[in-house]
């Protein structure tokens, strides 16, 4: 198994003050940038009414809106591969400022742009272009953050660091959920449609500027600095080395990422729409449940991170995917049979188990050596997200036509794939 900091920082056993500051700033900055990417899904229904022709049925309008949401995923590999290439050759830190600007500016533009009523079919076209740019940005941001943090901390804290950082990304989802909840309490549905919907997107642009400021305090990783001093940087295209020598690691990383997409997109992001649209909960109740589940998922990310450092990433991941499958079955089968209190408790427990997604990055960090690590993580994560993340919401929307809990028929097989990936990782990488 590749130790992220072998021969460079392996002698460290505890986090230094600098390590802690790097972890906190990276996590908070990632949260604000991830908010910019996911706020779209919280307003998918509103955007479907404002940016598409009024004659479309609600189903097709939502499907088109989710399709544009998927476009952000389809363009992630482009950003991930290009940014990772330069990140492996020229440094991890330099890519942060670019990804922030490419995320924040489209979010701000979306909050200011005209709707279908003003510019007709130009509205969905512009919406699609903005999501493409955001997809490129997030494709470089998340793998960069995982690589950056992992190369700053001791080897025996990589699981914890990745769990904490992924928890920070979930904080971005929570921030979006809380703002959506505040909007439903402060404005009527009519007022939101008339223009209040723009507020969360304009806030996202301002969050981007704050993130840019925070990232100015970060330093390049000791691992990259040491590789540069020792002239150990990749001598050929990192992607060429990756695909010729690390195919198995790429496949494992892609399967693990597939599981991660289900936890984030289906169980967290799309849940309010299911709870309010199908099972009669109010929008306020749905967002409250989602917010609490996200908090539990954040706690779960950190707990699984500590567990990964103690038991090994493979064991922790296998246990977590099994628990997620069990809780998903209990939660979805209870919808429609129980009220708010029972469903809330089950959703909280489901959110906690999905925290296992927080150690997917720790597994990928250990599978790829430092000279091509950024590229390895980025390619595995972004290509998988482009393939399965982009189709997830449209597929679940289609399954829901045949069953009110169609999502569970997507999640349970995904948990089986997660268990398989964890077992293979344990066998191949002895962790």
């Amino acid at each position: 198994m590749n130790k992220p900091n072998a021969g460079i920082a392996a002698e460290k056993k505890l986090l230094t003050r600098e390590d802690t500051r790097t972890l906190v700033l990276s996590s908070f900055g990632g949260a604000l940038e991830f908010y910019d990417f996911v706020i779209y899904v919280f307003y998918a229904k509103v955007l479907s009414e404002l940016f598409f022709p009024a004659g479309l049925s609600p189903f097709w309008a939502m499907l088109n809106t989710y399709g544009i949401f998927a476009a952000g995923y389809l363009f992630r590999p482009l950003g991930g591969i290009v940014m990772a290439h330069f990140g492996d050759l020229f440094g991890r830190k330099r890519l942060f400022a670019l990804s922030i600007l490419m995320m924040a500016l489209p979010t701000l533009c979306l909050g200011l742009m005209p709707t279908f009523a003003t510019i007709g079919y130009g509205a969905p076209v512009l919406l699609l272009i903005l999501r493409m740019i955001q997809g490129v940005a997030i494709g470089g941001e998340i793998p960069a953050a995982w690589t950056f943090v992992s190369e700053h901390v001791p080897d025996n804290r990589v699981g914890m660091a990745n769990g904490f950082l992924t928890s920070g990304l979930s904080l971005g989802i929570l921030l979006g959920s809380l703002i959506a909840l505040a909007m439903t309490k402060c404005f009527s549905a009519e007022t939101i449609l008339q223009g209040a919907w723009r507020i969360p997107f304009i806030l996202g642009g301002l969050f981007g500027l704050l993130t840019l400021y925070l990232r100015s305090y970060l330093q390049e990783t000791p691992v990259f600095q040491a590789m540069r001093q020792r002239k150990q940087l990749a001598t050929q295209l990192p992607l060429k080395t990756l695909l010729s020598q690390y195919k198995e690691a790429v496949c494992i990383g892609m399967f693990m990422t597939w599981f991660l997409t289900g936890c984030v997109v289906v169980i967290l992001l799309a849940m309010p729409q299911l709870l309010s649209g199908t099972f009669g909960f109010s929008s306020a109740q749905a967002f409250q449940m989602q917010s609490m589940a996200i908090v539990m998922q954040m706690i779960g990310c950190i707990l699984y991170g500590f567990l990964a450092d103690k038991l090994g990433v493979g064991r922790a991941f296998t246990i977590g995917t099994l628990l997620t499958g069990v809780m998903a079955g209990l939660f979805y089968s209870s919808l429609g049979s129980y009220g708010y209190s029972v469903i809330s408790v089950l959703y909280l427990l489901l959110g906690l188990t999905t925290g296992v997604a927080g150690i997917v990055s720790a597994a990928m960090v250990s599978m790829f050596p430092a000279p091509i690590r950024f590229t390895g993580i980025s390619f595995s994560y972004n290509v998988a997200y482009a393939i399965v993340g982009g189709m997830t919401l449209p597929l679940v929307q289609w399954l829901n036509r045949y069953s009110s809990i169609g999502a569970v028929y997507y999640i349970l097989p995904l948990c089986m794939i997660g268990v398989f990936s964890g077992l293979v990782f344990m066998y191949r990488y002895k962790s």
Side-chain angles (χ1 to χ4, degrees), residues 266-272 275 286 288-294 296 327 331 342-352:
V266 179
I267 296 178
L268 294 182
L269 285 181
M271 190 59 71
L275 293 174
Q288 285 170 354
M289 283 192 278
Q290 182 194 50
S291 298
M292 292 187 294
I294 292 171
M296 294 300 289
M327 282 310 308
F331 171 75
V342 173
I343 296 301
S344 293
V345 171
L346 291 175
Y347 193 22
L348 286 176
L349 293 174
L350 177 58
L352 181 66

Side-chain angles (χ1 to χ4, degrees), residues 4-146:
N5 306 315
I8 297 170
E11 68 279 2
K12 294 197 305 180
K13 297 299 181 184
L14 299 174
L15 295 180
T16 65
R17 184 176 180 180
E18 180 64 27
D19 292 338
T20 302
R21 187 180 75 157
T22 297
L23 182 56
V24 171
L25 289 179
S26 297
S27 300
F28 187 59
L32 296 183
E33 187 165 355
F34 205 61
Y35 164 88
D36 281 1
F37 189 72
V38 303
I39 191 64
Y40 179 97
V41 80
F42 290 109
Y43 287 90
K45 189 174 187 302
V46 173
L47 296 177
S48 71
E49 296 182 36
L50 293 172
F51 286 85
F52 293 94
L56 286 179
S57 69
F59 172 80
W60 284 108
M62 281 296 294
L63 193 62
N64 286 337
T65 307
Y66 281 149
I68 290 181
F69 176 76
Y73 289 114
L74 295 176
F75 275 77
R76 288 172 83 147
L78 174 62
I81 292 170
V82 172
M83 291 186 181
H85 170 79
F86 289 106
D88 277 331
L89 295 179
F90 302 112
R92 320 312 197 189
K93 181 186 173 182
R94 294 185 180 184
L95 280 304
F96 277 155
L98 178 61
S99 69
I100 292 166
L101 289 175
M102 291 178 66
M103 180 60 69
L105 291 181
T107 305
L108 183 62
C109 289
L110 202 159
L112 300 174
M113 67 180 285
T115 62
F116 188 90
T118 304
I119 60 172
Y121 285 96
V125 171
L126 286 176
L127 190 62
L128 177 62
I129 292 172
L130 293 178
R131 287 302 293 179
M132 289 177 179
I133 297 172
Q134 287 188 322
V136 171
I138 204 71
E141 160 66 21
I142 295 179
W146 284 334

